[in-house]
Amino acid sequence: MVGKAAMIAGLILAAGVPATASADDPADGWDVQNVGQACRMVSTFEDNVTIGLIWTPETKDLEFLAFGDDWKKVAGQAGSSVPINLKFDGKVPHDDWTADHASVIPIGSSKVAVVADFGPTLATELANTVSSSQSVAVTVGGKRIGSYDLGGSPAAYQLLMRCGEQIAAR
């Protein structure tokens, strides 16, 4: 788990710069990158909260990540776990996702992120839910963090899958 936590922290740190939106970008507001053995898509919002997905082709894991300023008060210390609830809107088969033991991962010296691993068996369903929803409401440790626009996520997810195909082809 320590190796995986370090990899996730690296993925998150790579997400430090918010994505910039442009009119001709179908993944409007989402940044998709190959970061070694995994790919990630993230978007940072006005309240400085970043949400996204991490796709690891080798294990077929798709993880939901969220982080923001001063999250130690909400999520606790790095190395602990915290419940996270994701409530999606739109026409999706499963709109309410909960991970009772999401990992609290250190990023940098003063921040933490929450990473929910729903495993490879739910990866496709989670991807379809994110891609089909208009927004997601995020609750961490019983505290509602906010509701976030998922516009552009279908195109970003397609880029995420292409990134994974490139990794798998190595």
Side-chain angles (χ1 to χ4, degrees):
M1 180 65 177
V2 172
K4 185 172 182 176
M7 181 195 74
I8 291 171
L11 292 170
I12 293 169
L13 287 172
V17 179
T20 53
S22 68
D24 60 346
D25 181 7
D28 186 27
W30 290 87
D31 183 37
V32 180
Q33 286 187 342
N34 176 329
V35 284
Q37 296 300 310
C39 299
R40 60 114 177 116
M41 63 179 261
V42 295
S43 189
T44 300
F45 297 87
E46 289 178 9
D47 59 357
N48 209 27
V49 168
T50 298
I51 64 169
L53 297 174
I54 301 169
W55 167 241
T56 308
E58 183 179 339
T59 62
K60 303 205 182 323
D61 283 327
L62 185 66
E63 298 163 304
F64 187 92
L65 73 94
F67 65 95
D69 292 334
D70 209 21
W71 272 37
K72 285 185 181 177
K73 291 179 184 175
V74 175
Q77 294 298 316
S80 64
S81 66
V82 65
I84 185 171
N85 176 263
L86 310 170
K87 181 74 173 162
F88 295 91
D89 72 350
K91 295 181 180 177
V92 294
H94 188 76
D95 65 354
D96 194 3
W97 291 73
T98 299
D100 291 326
H101 301 285
S103 299
V104 180
I105 306 291
I107 52 173
S109 60
S110 62
K111 288 186 177 183
V112 295
V114 176
V115 179
D117 184 353
F118 291 100
T121 55
L122 294 176
T124 300
E125 188 176 350
L126 176 60
N128 290 338
T129 299
V130 171
S131 296
S132 301
S133 297
Q134 299 298 313
S135 66
V136 61
V138 178
T139 302
V140 175
K143 180 181 184 328
R144 188 167 192 277
I145 302 300
S147 185
Y148 302 99
D149 182 5
L150 295 175
S153 65
Y157 182 73
Q158 292 302 315
L159 294 172
L160 186 74
M161 290 299 96
R162 276 192 227 130
C163 174
E165 289 168 5
Q166 292 170 350
I167 289 173
R170 290 188 209 154

